[in-house]
Each structure stands twice: as C-alpha cells, then as structure tokens.
Amino acid sequence: MNSEVEVLFGAGAIGEAIVRRISSGRKLLIADYSEEKLYTMKQRLEEAGFSVETIKADLSSRKSIKEVVAKAQSLGDIIGLVNAAGVSPSQASSSEVLHVDLYGTSVLLEEFGKVMAPGGAGIVISSQSGHRLPALSIEDNKALAMTPTEELLNLPILQPDLIKDSLAAYQYAKRTNVLRVAAESVKWQKRGARINSISPGIIMTPLALDELNGPRGAGYKKMFDSMVTKRPGTPDEIANLAELLMDRKSAFITGSDFLADGGITAQYWFGDVEEVRDSGTTK
C-alpha cells in the first residue's frame, strides 16, 4: 500500500497550522522558494513527529511546479494539496503579484488536478482582497476562470492600463484564484477529488506585520475597531476551517470559497468603513 502524501506550497504560518492538522501518519512535502524557511519548518515539524520532505520551488514557474508534482508522486499517493504561497502587495510589483499569485496558482491547480488520488482534497488560501473588487461581467468572470493558463496574463482585464498598482494586481489575482478553483474543481471531480478556497482576512503572521507597519497600517487598525473580534485572526482559526474542508465530513463541498475575515468585508460594502480601500491576506 502506497503512503498517503500531503503537499504544502508555502512555508508560512497559515500553511503550517493547516498541515499540523491533516498530516499525522502521512508523508508531508513542503515546497517554498526560501531554503531557510524550508529548513526551519522541516525541523519544527519533525521534532513534533511528522514525516517531512522539502523541495525548493518557484510558484511562478510551471517547470518548478512539475518538479514538485514528480517529487510528491515519488513519495506515494497525493491525497492533499494546500497552497498557502504567494506575495503580498507590499512585497512585490504588480507583475510579480500576477505571475506568482494569479498565474502560479492557476498552474498549480492544473498540474495537481492531473494527479490527485481519489478521495483527495485541496485548499487554496486566497484573500478577502478578492471580495473587494466590484462585480465583474459574466464575460470577464469566464475569461479569468477558463482561459488557458498560458494565455491568462494576456487578458485585456489584466493589462497595466487597468492594473495600476500592486494592490489592484493582488485583488484581481485573488478574485481569479476563487474563479479558477471553481472551474478546475470540475476537472478534479473526474478524479474523485475536491478543491476549495478560503479567503482569510488579516491573520497575524510575519507578513501581516509588514502590512501593519506599511502605508496602509492605519487603515488596518481602523478595520480592527469595526470588527466583531476587535482583532486580527490567527493561523489556527483558518486551520480550523481548512481541516474541515479537507476532511471527508466535507465530501459534499467542492468548487467553493469561504470568506473568513471577522466580518470586515461586510463592513466594507455595507458598513461605515468604506473609506478603507483594502487589506491583503497574509500567509
């Protein structure tokens, strides 16, 4: 009997919280661009009793993603995928955000959709930012959801005349993540596998500190004051939801997105904090 394999893309706080819930007794393959992060997370998880392999990978590269797939297949049957990788608008240019968060996630869904084991499940960590865009047209939604991956970045809606800064790029990337999850879930179903996304709000991670100390820091603090929790979320709160979605208890759920943001998106659209333009997910 082959080992069951969980794959985590992105050696960050949310990803680690999730795989701690779902990887006991399974092989865990962690992929990240940072060898330092891979080493540190592998050490922590092995000390906690997990069986861990690592591979350096670039989410913006199809070749690199295929290498991760091949490594995972060599370890056993791929039963789970967690994509918690990406860059934030305070860290990267518009082009980098689109190549990593939009194009890379689309490639990941496509390549792993070809190899998931029956009964397998995946999670894409998107962001509340995808819920901050006004409604797109049916045509634009279909284009973002279904355009062949290698043609995605050529879509008119993703060109610099519309995507004027890294925050706009991030919003479009995260909206596209949710749309691609829905579209790719149709293909995953043919393998008997499921894929969903979670759109977290502000979660306290090292990346969150970059955002809180950046130019939009005051806006974040105003948002916290308006939220039911009066605080940012924790990685474990997102992991609670992810654990459920990865479990057979959620066998009836696929192609869906779950907004977990303490109610701030509802406040943004229907409350009194509309002047706060946006905030990104932090992983």
Side-chain angles (χ1 to χ4, degrees):
M1 180 178 176
N2 285 346
S3 297
E4 293 183 334
V5 181
E6 300 279 357
V7 179
L8 168 63
F9 238 93
I14 292 177
E16 181 174 351
I18 294 171
V19 296
R20 282 179 176 271
R21 308 292 184 91
I22 64 176
S23 300
S24 298
R26 293 172 170 168
K27 296 280 188 181
L28 172 61
L29 176 63
I30 308 172
D32 196 277
Y33 191 75
S34 167
E35 292 181 331
E36 180 181 358
K37 288 182 178 180
L38 288 172
Y39 174 81
T40 302
M41 186 179 288
K42 176 180 169 69
Q43 186 175 44
R44 278 198 305 268
L45 290 172
E46 285 185 335
E47 288 174 351
F50 294 92
S51 175
V52 183
E53 298 279 346
T54 63
I55 181 171
K56 183 176 180 179
D58 179 358
L59 184 58
S60 68
S61 164
R62 185 181 291 272
K63 178 178 180 290
S64 185
I65 289 170
K66 284 186 171 183
E67 289 171 354
V68 177
V69 170
K71 175 74 171 178
Q73 286 181 300
S74 75
L75 299 174
D77 296 326
I78 304 173
I79 198 73
L81 170 69
V82 177
N83 180 27
V87 292
S88 78
S90 292
Q91 296 176 314
S93 67
S94 297
S95 177
E96 289 171 325
V97 169
L98 293 176
H99 277 86
V100 175
D101 291 359
L102 191 152
Y103 170 80
T105 298
S106 299
V107 173
L108 198 70
L109 289 168
E110 183 178 315
E111 293 296 338
F112 273 90
K114 300 172 184 176
V115 299
M116 293 297 295
I123 288 288
V124 170
I125 300 300
S126 185
S127 170
Q128 65 179 359
S129 280
H131 292 262
R132 298 298 174 84
L133 284 178
L136 301 177
S137 69
I138 293 174
E139 292 75 18
D140 283 340
N141 279 336
K142 284 189 174 181
L144 291 172
M146 302 181 71
T147 296
T149 303
E150 296 305 321
E151 300 172 20
L152 255 177
L153 296 180
N154 295 326
L155 287 174
I157 196 174
L158 298 177
Q159 299 314 298
D161 58 325
L162 292 177
I163 307 295
K164 297 185 182 299
D165 55 38
S166 60
L167 180 55
Y170 192 77
Q171 289 177 321
Y172 273 91
K174 295 307 178 179
R175 175 69 63 87
T176 302
N177 289 169
V178 170
L179 292 167
R180 298 300 281 199
V181 162
E184 289 294 328
S185 74
V186 177
K187 301 172 185 177
W188 281 49
Q189 287 178 56
K190 294 176 182 177
R191 297 189 61 84
R194 300 180 299 107
I195 178 73
N196 293 290
S197 61
I198 298 174
S199 293
I202 304 302
I203 306 300
M204 280 310 300
T205 68
L207 291 188
L209 292 176
D210 287 345
E211 292 290 324
L212 290 171
N213 293 322
R216 290 181 289 275
Y220 287 113
K221 294 177 176 63
K222 181 169 183 136
M223 282 191 286
F224 296 154
D225 289 341
S226 73
M227 291 163 61
V228 65
T229 58
K230 305 299 181 187
R231 60 170 175 80
T234 65
D236 283 291
E237 287 175 304
I238 301 305
N240 289 338
L241 176 55
E243 181 181 20
L244 173 64
L245 292 173
M246 296 289 279
D247 190 84
R248 290 298 298 169
K249 293 176 182 177
S250 295
F252 203 58
I253 303 174
T254 191
S256 298
D257 177 62
F258 294 83
L259 178 62
D261 69 347
I264 193 58
T265 298
Q267 289 273 9
Y268 178 86
W269 287 111
F270 309 114
D272 58 2
V273 291
E274 64 274 359
E275 69 274 15
V276 179
R277 185 182 172 197
D278 191 48
S279 55
T281 295
T282 48
K283 305 181 181 82

